[in-house]
Amino acid sequence: MSITAITADGRGSSVPDPEFRQILADVTAWVEGPGEAWAERIEADGVVPDALWDELVDRGFLALAAPRDLGGRGLSFVQWMGLMEVFSRSHASVRMIVHVVNGTWRAMNPFADDRQREQFVKPAVAGKLTVAFTLTEPGNGTGADITSTVRRDGDMYLLTGRKHLITFGVRCDYWLLFARLAGSIGKEGTVALLVDRETPGVVVEDTSQTMGVHGTDHATLRFEDAPVPVDQRLGEEGEGLAVALGGFLTPSRISVAMSCVGLAQRAQQLAVAYATRRVTFGKPLASRQAIAFQLAENEADIEAAKALTLTAARAWQDGEASAPALSSMAKLTAVDMLTRVTDKALQVHGGIGYWKSMPIERVYRDARAQRFEEGTNEIQKTVIARDLLRRAAALDLEP
């Protein structure tokens, strides 16, 4: 990884520790105060109102991770993970907004020219544009096998294909969309395009009715010869997957891992509070060894996942070759940890934890979504095994 690439990804910046601690205190106060009020409203109404987006923009929460030359706050990646840990204790849709907006610029910026940086990247960092990452398709995976195609017609690409499970795909201003040149195969034919939400030839289906993460919109998209200006292509033809995966996927997986840590901390907080105040047969639940041991196991589980996630974060921040595999290890470990912690936390509550009147019910429901975000556990294992076997082959290890 070159120094230029690291700078473009925002890995070369940080803020002084006193400034970071103040930001952390501000974020924590918001999550525990106004954030909880927003969570109740989202669960009641089923939508994230524009007023919440506006508040997040006004507080600067959507520009924390980007470097200062893009209009961001200039936090290092490890510092940003400290804030993601806190944001993830809030409502899942709040976490989703700050995670996506504070990360999408990483995919765009290294490949943007000066005009694109002014027109798209900086407004996205400022919260003036919402850009939806648009890779996943219904009939195949999310890599070199994408089937959405473009064909050149003068200064336009004509886009045809389908995308689904696109977060913010309904309310966005642009889709950061990945397709391939018609007739091409493999990654060499892929392109990355910024597609205007109002482009003709596009059908948007709102598919936001999910088990958890209420309020976040999701879309299925259909394109039929939809015209996209060639000058809205990021990078060169053949660099589409590099845009999608290079500067975005690795840090995003680490961020999701830290999201699991934060949500698990919230589940543990609720379980400890309930076990302390709930009295059965004259004793608080927390005094019973069976309950205390579950809480102890949760605490150890959370700290172990957090340590691995921070190791991956430092590796990516330093441009180490091990970062992609470590990001998958962190995500795999953290999501499995979250499953165990939320299950025990709900069990501590007993039957009452299953009721929507209890905060743990939402946490338990939202936790399940993390198993899919930025790749399933099976994908993470594939990445880890590929790296492990590649290193073994390089060393020519004998059995």
Side-chain angles (χ1 to χ4, degrees), residues 134-149 160-165 178-180 190 241 379:
T134 308
L135 176 62
T136 306
E137 298 180 350
N140 42 269
T142 54
D145 60 340
I146 56 175
T147 56
S148 294
T149 60
T160 297
R162 295 184 65 199
K163 300 288 183 178
H164 79 157
L165 307 180
F178 304 92
R180 68 170 52 260
T190 57
L241 281 187
I379 289 295

mmCIF file of all heavy atoms in Angstrom, residues 134-149 160-165 178-180 190 241 379:
data_model
loop_
_atom_site.group_PDB
_atom_site.id
_atom_site.type_symbol
_atom_site.label_atom_id
_atom_site.label_comp_id
_atom_site.label_asym_id
_atom_site.label_seq_id
_atom_site.Cartn_x
_atom_site.Cartn_y
_atom_site.Cartn_z
ATOM 1 N N THR A 134 -23.883 0.333 -3.866
ATOM 2 C CA THR A 134 -24.822 -0.469 -4.659
ATOM 3 C C THR A 134 -24.073 -1.557 -5.416
ATOM 4 O O THR A 134 -23.759 -1.430 -6.606
ATOM 5 C CB THR A 134 -25.607 0.446 -5.631
ATOM 6 O OG1 THR A 134 -26.175 1.540 -4.889
ATOM 7 C CG2 THR A 134 -26.727 -0.308 -6.322
ATOM 8 N N LEU A 135 -23.800 -2.646 -4.718
ATOM 9 C CA LEU A 135 -23.039 -3.757 -5.291
ATOM 10 C C LEU A 135 -23.862 -5.032 -5.405
ATOM 11 O O LEU A 135 -23.856 -5.702 -6.436
ATOM 12 C CB LEU A 135 -21.791 -4.007 -4.434
ATOM 13 C CG LEU A 135 -20.899 -5.195 -4.810
ATOM 14 C CD1 LEU A 135 -20.327 -5.028 -6.213
ATOM 15 C CD2 LEU A 135 -19.768 -5.355 -3.793
ATOM 16 N N THR A 136 -24.598 -5.396 -4.362
ATOM 17 C CA THR A 136 -25.238 -6.712 -4.265
ATOM 18 C C THR A 136 -26.337 -6.905 -5.299
ATOM 19 O O THR A 136 -27.151 -6.013 -5.546
ATOM 20 C CB THR A 136 -25.815 -6.902 -2.856
ATOM 21 O OG1 THR A 136 -24.784 -6.681 -1.896
ATOM 22 C CG2 THR A 136 -26.380 -8.301 -2.678
ATOM 23 N N GLU A 137 -26.370 -8.110 -5.877
ATOM 24 C CA GLU A 137 -27.385 -8.465 -6.873
ATOM 25 C C GLU A 137 -28.146 -9.710 -6.426
ATOM 26 O O GLU A 137 -27.611 -10.530 -5.667
ATOM 27 C CB GLU A 137 -26.726 -8.716 -8.233
ATOM 28 C CG GLU A 137 -26.026 -7.484 -8.776
ATOM 29 C CD GLU A 137 -25.370 -7.696 -10.129
ATOM 30 O OE1 GLU A 137 -25.294 -8.872 -10.582
ATOM 31 O OE2 GLU A 137 -24.939 -6.705 -10.736
ATOM 32 N N PRO A 138 -29.395 -9.869 -6.889
ATOM 33 C CA PRO A 138 -30.212 -10.982 -6.400
ATOM 34 C C PRO A 138 -29.810 -12.348 -6.933
ATOM 35 O O PRO A 138 -30.117 -13.360 -6.310
ATOM 36 C CB PRO A 138 -31.623 -10.609 -6.863
ATOM 37 C CG PRO A 138 -31.419 -9.699 -8.032
ATOM 38 C CD PRO A 138 -30.165 -8.937 -7.740
ATOM 39 N N GLY A 139 -29.126 -12.412 -8.078
ATOM 40 C CA GLY A 139 -28.893 -13.707 -8.701
ATOM 41 C C GLY A 139 -27.478 -14.227 -8.605
ATOM 42 O O GLY A 139 -27.160 -15.249 -9.201
ATOM 43 N N ASN A 140 -26.614 -13.536 -7.869
ATOM 44 C CA ASN A 140 -25.223 -13.963 -7.789
ATOM 45 C C ASN A 140 -24.577 -13.352 -6.556
ATOM 46 O O ASN A 140 -25.260 -12.775 -5.708
ATOM 47 C CB ASN A 140 -24.463 -13.569 -9.054
ATOM 48 C CG ASN A 140 -24.813 -12.174 -9.537
ATOM 49 O OD1 ASN A 140 -25.720 -12.018 -10.347
ATOM 50 N ND2 ASN A 140 -24.138 -11.176 -9.008
ATOM 51 N N GLY A 141 -23.262 -13.470 -6.448
ATOM 52 C CA GLY A 141 -22.564 -12.963 -5.287
ATOM 53 C C GLY A 141 -22.313 -11.467 -5.376
ATOM 54 O O GLY A 141 -23.037 -10.740 -6.069
ATOM 55 N N THR A 142 -21.273 -11.011 -4.720
ATOM 56 C CA THR A 142 -21.001 -9.576 -4.686
ATOM 57 C C THR A 142 -19.552 -9.304 -5.070
ATOM 58 O O THR A 142 -18.882 -8.465 -4.483
ATOM 59 C CB THR A 142 -21.281 -8.998 -3.291
ATOM 60 O OG1 THR A 142 -20.547 -9.755 -2.315
ATOM 61 C CG2 THR A 142 -22.746 -9.047 -2.961
ATOM 62 N N GLY A 143 -19.067 -10.022 -6.072
ATOM 63 C CA GLY A 143 -17.693 -9.830 -6.516
ATOM 64 C C GLY A 143 -17.622 -9.758 -8.021
ATOM 65 O O GLY A 143 -18.417 -9.092 -8.680
ATOM 66 N N ALA A 144 -16.643 -10.482 -8.602
ATOM 67 C CA ALA A 144 -16.407 -10.426 -10.038
ATOM 68 C C ALA A 144 -17.536 -11.065 -10.848
ATOM 69 O O ALA A 144 -17.522 -10.984 -12.082
ATOM 70 C CB ALA A 144 -15.079 -11.107 -10.365
ATOM 71 N N ASP A 145 -18.504 -11.697 -10.174
ATOM 72 C CA ASP A 145 -19.601 -12.336 -10.905
ATOM 73 C C ASP A 145 -20.814 -11.430 -11.079
ATOM 74 O O ASP A 145 -21.886 -11.901 -11.452
ATOM 75 C CB ASP A 145 -20.016 -13.636 -10.214
ATOM 76 C CG ASP A 145 -20.504 -13.436 -8.783
ATOM 77 O OD1 ASP A 145 -20.179 -12.386 -8.189
ATOM 78 O OD2 ASP A 145 -21.196 -14.327 -8.261
ATOM 79 N N ILE A 146 -20.673 -10.125 -10.822
ATOM 80 C CA ILE A 146 -21.810 -9.229 -11.022
ATOM 81 C C ILE A 146 -22.241 -9.266 -12.490
ATOM 82 O O ILE A 146 -21.414 -9.416 -13.390
ATOM 83 C CB ILE A 146 -21.493 -7.782 -10.583
ATOM 84 C CG1 ILE A 146 -20.264 -7.241 -11.312
ATOM 85 C CG2 ILE A 146 -21.327 -7.697 -9.083
ATOM 86 C CD1 ILE A 146 -19.978 -5.780 -11.007
ATOM 87 N N THR A 147 -23.536 -9.125 -12.706
ATOM 88 C CA THR A 147 -24.081 -9.266 -14.066
ATOM 89 C C THR A 147 -24.725 -7.989 -14.593
ATOM 90 O O THR A 147 -25.083 -7.936 -15.771
ATOM 91 C CB THR A 147 -25.121 -10.399 -14.115
ATOM 92 O OG1 THR A 147 -26.140 -10.140 -13.137
ATOM 93 C CG2 THR A 147 -24.477 -11.744 -13.816
ATOM 94 N N SER A 148 -24.908 -6.963 -13.777
ATOM 95 C CA SER A 148 -25.401 -5.691 -14.297
ATOM 96 C C SER A 148 -24.384 -5.168 -15.304
ATOM 97 O O SER A 148 -23.173 -5.205 -15.059
ATOM 98 C CB SER A 148 -25.582 -4.680 -13.166
ATOM 99 O OG SER A 148 -26.603 -5.097 -12.286
ATOM 100 N N THR A 149 -24.870 -4.675 -16.456
ATOM 101 C CA THR A 149 -23.968 -4.320 -17.545
ATOM 102 C C THR A 149 -24.184 -2.884 -18.011
ATOM 103 O O THR A 149 -25.257 -2.299 -17.828
ATOM 104 C CB THR A 149 -24.155 -5.245 -18.756
ATOM 105 O OG1 THR A 149 -25.499 -5.141 -19.237
ATOM 106 C CG2 THR A 149 -23.845 -6.693 -18.392
ATOM 107 N N THR A 160 -28.022 -1.587 -17.553
ATOM 108 C CA THR A 160 -29.107 -2.562 -17.453
ATOM 109 C C THR A 160 -28.744 -3.599 -16.388
ATOM 110 O O THR A 160 -27.606 -4.086 -16.355
ATOM 111 C CB THR A 160 -29.347 -3.271 -18.801
ATOM 112 O OG1 THR A 160 -29.759 -2.305 -19.774
ATOM 113 C CG2 THR A 160 -30.428 -4.342 -18.670
ATOM 114 N N GLY A 161 -29.714 -3.916 -15.532
ATOM 115 C CA GLY A 161 -29.446 -4.934 -14.521
ATOM 116 C C GLY A 161 -30.304 -4.738 -13.293
ATOM 117 O O GLY A 161 -31.213 -3.909 -13.276
ATOM 118 N N ARG A 162 -30.001 -5.532 -12.256
ATOM 119 C CA ARG A 162 -30.755 -5.483 -11.011
ATOM 120 C C ARG A 162 -29.797 -5.453 -9.823
ATOM 121 O O ARG A 162 -28.730 -6.061 -9.856
ATOM 122 C CB ARG A 162 -31.684 -6.690 -10.881
ATOM 123 C CG ARG A 162 -32.796 -6.773 -11.917
ATOM 124 C CD ARG A 162 -33.695 -7.960 -11.624
ATOM 125 N NE ARG A 162 -34.392 -7.807 -10.359
ATOM 126 C CZ ARG A 162 -34.950 -8.801 -9.671
ATOM 127 N NH1 ARG A 162 -34.873 -10.043 -10.128
ATOM 128 N NH2 ARG A 162 -35.589 -8.572 -8.538
ATOM 129 N N LYS A 163 -30.214 -4.759 -8.780
ATOM 130 C CA LYS A 163 -29.504 -4.730 -7.507
ATOM 131 C C LYS A 163 -30.537 -4.923 -6.394
ATOM 132 O O LYS A 163 -31.702 -4.539 -6.559
ATOM 133 C CB LYS A 163 -28.776 -3.388 -7.310
ATOM 134 C CG LYS A 163 -27.730 -3.067 -8.363
ATOM 135 C CD LYS A 163 -26.500 -3.944 -8.228
ATOM 136 C CE LYS A 163 -25.427 -3.547 -9.243
ATOM 137 N NZ LYS A 163 -24.197 -4.357 -9.082
ATOM 138 N N HIS A 164 -30.105 -5.474 -5.273
ATOM 139 C CA HIS A 164 -31.038 -5.585 -4.146
ATOM 140 C C HIS A 164 -30.286 -5.497 -2.824
ATOM 141 O O HIS A 164 -29.058 -5.488 -2.785
ATOM 142 C CB HIS A 164 -31.898 -6.851 -4.241
ATOM 143 C CG HIS A 164 -31.221 -8.125 -3.809
ATOM 144 N ND1 HIS A 164 -31.922 -9.234 -3.391
ATOM 145 C CD2 HIS A 164 -29.908 -8.481 -3.745
ATOM 146 C CE1 HIS A 164 -31.085 -10.205 -3.080
ATOM 147 N NE2 HIS A 164 -29.859 -9.778 -3.280
ATOM 148 N N LEU A 165 -31.066 -5.378 -1.736
ATOM 149 C CA LEU A 165 -30.531 -5.196 -0.383
ATOM 150 C C LEU A 165 -29.669 -3.939 -0.303
ATOM 151 O O LEU A 165 -28.650 -3.910 0.401
ATOM 152 C CB LEU A 165 -29.726 -6.419 0.057
ATOM 153 C CG LEU A 165 -30.420 -7.785 -0.034
ATOM 154 C CD1 LEU A 165 -29.478 -8.887 0.440
ATOM 155 C CD2 LEU A 165 -31.715 -7.798 0.744
ATOM 156 N N PHE A 178 -21.936 -0.605 -9.123
ATOM 157 C CA PHE A 178 -20.883 -1.382 -9.765
ATOM 158 C C PHE A 178 -21.499 -2.303 -10.811
ATOM 159 O O PHE A 178 -22.455 -3.041 -10.535
ATOM 160 C CB PHE A 178 -20.105 -2.168 -8.716
ATOM 161 C CG PHE A 178 -19.545 -1.256 -7.650
ATOM 162 C CD1 PHE A 178 -20.263 -0.990 -6.494
ATOM 163 C CD2 PHE A 178 -18.332 -0.624 -7.841
ATOM 164 C CE1 PHE A 178 -19.777 -0.118 -5.536
ATOM 165 C CE2 PHE A 178 -17.836 0.254 -6.885
ATOM 166 C CZ PHE A 178 -18.558 0.507 -5.737
ATOM 167 N N ALA A 179 -20.959 -2.233 -12.008
ATOM 168 C CA ALA A 179 -21.460 -3.020 -13.130
ATOM 169 C C ALA A 179 -20.259 -3.468 -13.949
ATOM 170 O O ALA A 179 -19.109 -3.288 -13.554
ATOM 171 C CB ALA A 179 -22.428 -2.184 -13.967
ATOM 172 N N ARG A 180 -20.539 -4.070 -15.093
ATOM 173 C CA ARG A 180 -19.456 -4.495 -15.972
ATOM 174 C C ARG A 180 -19.760 -4.091 -17.413
ATOM 175 O O ARG A 180 -20.913 -3.906 -17.792
ATOM 176 C CB ARG A 180 -19.233 -5.997 -15.891
ATOM 177 C CG ARG A 180 -20.364 -6.839 -16.451
ATOM 178 C CD ARG A 180 -19.965 -8.314 -16.561
ATOM 179 N NE ARG A 180 -19.436 -8.843 -15.311
ATOM 180 C CZ ARG A 180 -18.143 -8.982 -15.057
ATOM 181 N NH1 ARG A 180 -17.236 -8.645 -15.956
ATOM 182 N NH2 ARG A 180 -17.747 -9.483 -13.903
ATOM 183 N N THR A 190 -15.064 -4.487 -14.969
ATOM 184 C CA THR A 190 -15.968 -3.815 -14.037
ATOM 185 C C THR A 190 -15.756 -2.301 -14.032
ATOM 186 O O THR A 190 -14.661 -1.799 -14.271
ATOM 187 C CB THR A 190 -15.774 -4.349 -12.606
ATOM 188 O OG1 THR A 190 -14.408 -4.185 -12.203
ATOM 189 C CG2 THR A 190 -16.148 -5.829 -12.536
ATOM 190 N N LEU A 241 -14.175 -3.100 -9.322
ATOM 191 C CA LEU A 241 -14.050 -3.866 -8.080
ATOM 192 C C LEU A 241 -12.990 -3.287 -7.168
ATOM 193 O O LEU A 241 -13.090 -3.425 -5.942
ATOM 194 C CB LEU A 241 -13.760 -5.337 -8.381
ATOM 195 C CG LEU A 241 -14.964 -6.188 -8.796
ATOM 196 C CD1 LEU A 241 -14.552 -7.653 -8.899
ATOM 197 C CD2 LEU A 241 -16.131 -6.036 -7.838
ATOM 198 N N ILE A 379 -18.283 -16.281 4.174
ATOM 199 C CA ILE A 379 -17.389 -15.455 3.366
ATOM 200 C C ILE A 379 -16.134 -15.094 4.153
ATOM 201 O O ILE A 379 -15.001 -15.140 3.638
ATOM 202 C CB ILE A 379 -18.111 -14.187 2.894
ATOM 203 C CG1 ILE A 379 -19.172 -14.533 1.838
ATOM 204 C CG2 ILE A 379 -17.126 -13.165 2.335
ATOM 205 C CD1 ILE A 379 -18.606 -15.077 0.547
#
